[in-house]
Amino acid sequence: MSIKISEFLKDTNPRYVDIIIGKQIGEKRFIDIFAIINCHDENEGYVYRERIINKVKTYFEEVLKAVKSNDNHKLKYLSKNIHDVNYTNLGHCISDKEDSFTILVNSIKESDAYKNGLINDILDAQLYLKNIGVEIISNLITNIIQDVLSEYTKEKLQSLNITNKIKYTKIHYWNEFTKSWDIKEIPIIFYINPLNKDLFNYLLVPYDFTCDENKKQKILNEIFNESVYEIYEKKILSNPDKYKNYINKYQQVYKKSVVQLINHELGEGSAVLGNGYITNKGLLALIKHYDEIKDFIEVKIKNNKNIVIL
């Protein structure tokens, strides 16, 4: 037997991810730092936004310091409470061969982006590192912010007048003030499967904190559509003799033409025909040549602010 958690809580207006409970079934949603940064005061869980951002920021700063100094003892300490989290039922299992922390650290060490000084925060890692997608980032963040999710969960159950479905359990979480792992007893939802009496524990996650598995592609699309395309369109049209093969009969530049030119200039695989978005390889090459693209990423993508055209 399995039901949605909103049914169990008798909540007719769930604004959290409405997971199936009673089974280990992962909902294909992922806690996403870009989604959290883009939250506004009308979004569910907005009151926790700054705390989460600070937790993730301080944790990743410690990771980068340890990578830079090759401090394996510190890396081991930072990794010890990063594991698959069953409380949220989000995503799906990371590879048994490598945990998410190991994948992240190895990807940082091996990347040209890190060697060139482009990896400064978790947002950079998700954008520039080939093997780092939404699932690995989601798994890391969930471990770091379990205390925040527990506060949100308790608040939600109090508003529903069903605090009898809460129990307390000890968990590890990231203390952003001491920049270390800490432990405390937190409120958590408990559910007993009526068929086999198995006990399950859950934390609620605001839906507005999550994304689907295509989020990274969508961000690359946004960078292409709102920055790269405009730069290349202007470049092509300002020199029609040189770029005549990329201009149509109506004196327009199709996006597929920009993709073709990027691949011609920067190497095949820098952009993808048919989809109109750049790859990690292409993005790294482009920001070396165009400061405007890097500025767009810093201001619009990472900080959710409007670009000011001077």
Side-chain angles (χ1 to χ4, degrees):
M1 178 182 178
S2 59
I3 62 171
K4 291 280 192 177
I5 199 163
S6 62
E7 297 176 61
F8 176 61
L9 301 177
K10 295 181 172 56
D11 185 356
T12 58
N13 184 33
R15 296 182 65 187
Y16 41 80
V17 183
D18 200 7
I19 57 173
I20 292 173
I21 61 174
K23 293 181 179 180
Q24 293 296 343
I25 300 175
E27 184 77 19
K28 287 190 178 180
R29 300 293 300 177
F30 305 88
I31 296 181
D32 178 58
I33 191 63
F34 287 100
I36 293 167
I37 287 172
N38 282 281
C39 275
H40 300 287
D41 55 7
E42 70 273 13
N43 294 118
E44 185 79 351
Y46 175 77
V47 66
Y48 302 109
R49 176 182 178 272
E50 292 303 319
R51 277 180 64 196
I52 291 174
I53 290 172
N54 198 32
K55 279 179 178 288
V56 175
K57 176 178 178 290
T58 54
Y59 179 80
F60 197 70
E61 283 174 348
E62 294 303 302
V63 171
L64 284 180
K65 286 178 187 176
V67 169
K68 187 175 182 179
S69 61
N70 201 27
D71 188 342
N72 291 325
H73 178 75
K74 183 65 176 288
L75 287 172
K76 185 176 181 180
Y77 170 76
L78 292 168
S79 72
K80 72 175 185 176
N81 294 309
I82 300 295
H83 46 72
D84 284 345
V85 181
N86 297 321
Y87 296 155
T88 61
N89 260 24
L90 300 185
H92 33 77
C93 291
I94 302 293
S95 167
D96 292 334
K97 295 181 180 179
E98 281 191 298
D99 60 83
S100 54
F101 185 87
T102 301
I103 295 171
L104 174 66
V105 170
N106 288 342
S107 294
I108 292 171
K109 289 179 177 179
E110 295 166 4
S111 73
D112 289 335
Y114 174 68
K115 293 168 187 174
N116 293 328
L118 294 174
I119 306 298
N120 298 301
D121 52 45
I122 200 75
L123 303 171
D124 291 332
Q126 191 167 332
L127 271 178
Y128 298 128
L129 300 182
K130 183 178 180 181
N131 297 322
I132 304 303
V134 292
E135 183 170 3
I136 287 174
I137 299 298
S138 177
N139 199 49
L140 287 164
I141 294 174
T142 306
N143 283 280
I144 293 167
I145 68 167
Q146 287 188 97
D147 59 325
V148 177
L149 295 179
S150 74
E151 288 181 35
Y152 169 75
T153 299
K154 183 178 181 180
E155 178 188 280
K156 185 59 62 176
L157 265 64
Q158 285 175 334
S159 71
L160 294 168
N161 294 314
I162 48 172
T163 53
N164 62 318
K165 299 187 188 303
I166 290 177
K167 74 169 190 174
Y168 286 80
T169 188
K170 287 184 178 181
I171 58 97
H172 288 92
Y173 69 98
W174 181 253
N175 187 321
E176 65 271 35
F177 302 106
T178 62
K179 297 183 181 180
S180 61
W181 289 113
D182 213 337
I183 189 168
K184 68 178 174 182
E185 205 168 54
I186 65 163
I188 199 166
I189 297 169
F190 72 92
Y191 169 75
I192 300 174
N193 190 317
L195 296 180
N196 53 25
K197 304 304 179 184
D198 285 347
L199 174 66
F200 296 85
N201 297 316
Y202 296 104
L203 290 172
L204 300 176
V205 178
Y207 191 89
D208 293 330
F209 283 5
T210 67
C211 68
D212 63 25
E213 56 194 341
N214 298 314
K215 181 60 177 286
K216 187 168 183 175
Q217 178 180 323
K218 290 175 182 176
I219 293 173
L220 291 173
N221 264 327
E222 184 178 353
I223 295 168
F224 180 89
N225 290 332
E226 297 186 27
S227 181
V228 176
Y229 173 75
E230 292 182 6
I231 289 168
Y232 268 79
E233 180 187 40
K234 183 178 179 180
K235 174 179 176 177
I236 291 168
L237 293 178
S238 66
N239 197 340
D241 291 333
K242 181 177 180 180
Y243 298 111
K244 61 183 179 181
N245 293 333
Y246 300 97
I247 304 172
N248 66 23
K249 62 182 179 180
Y250 304 108
Q251 298 302 299
Q252 297 172 326
V253 179
Y254 289 142
K255 289 181 180 179
K256 67 178 181 180
S257 297
V258 171
V259 170
Q260 289 170 344
L261 181 55
I262 289 172
N263 282 326
H264 175 73
E265 290 183 337
L266 305 177
E268 289 299 322
S270 297
V272 183
L273 284 169
N275 293 301
Y277 68 90
I278 46 180
T279 63
N280 290 101
K281 173 187 174 182
L283 183 58
L284 288 172
L286 283 164
I287 61 177
K288 290 179 183 177
H289 293 88
Y290 301 99
D291 289 339
E292 307 98 304
I293 298 173
K294 189 173 182 180
D295 291 343
F296 177 85
I297 292 169
E298 289 295 324
V299 177
K300 184 67 167 65
I301 301 297
K302 292 173 62 175
N303 292 292
N304 190 30
K305 295 178 180 177
N306 292 324
I307 298 290
V308 177
I309 305 298
L310 300 177

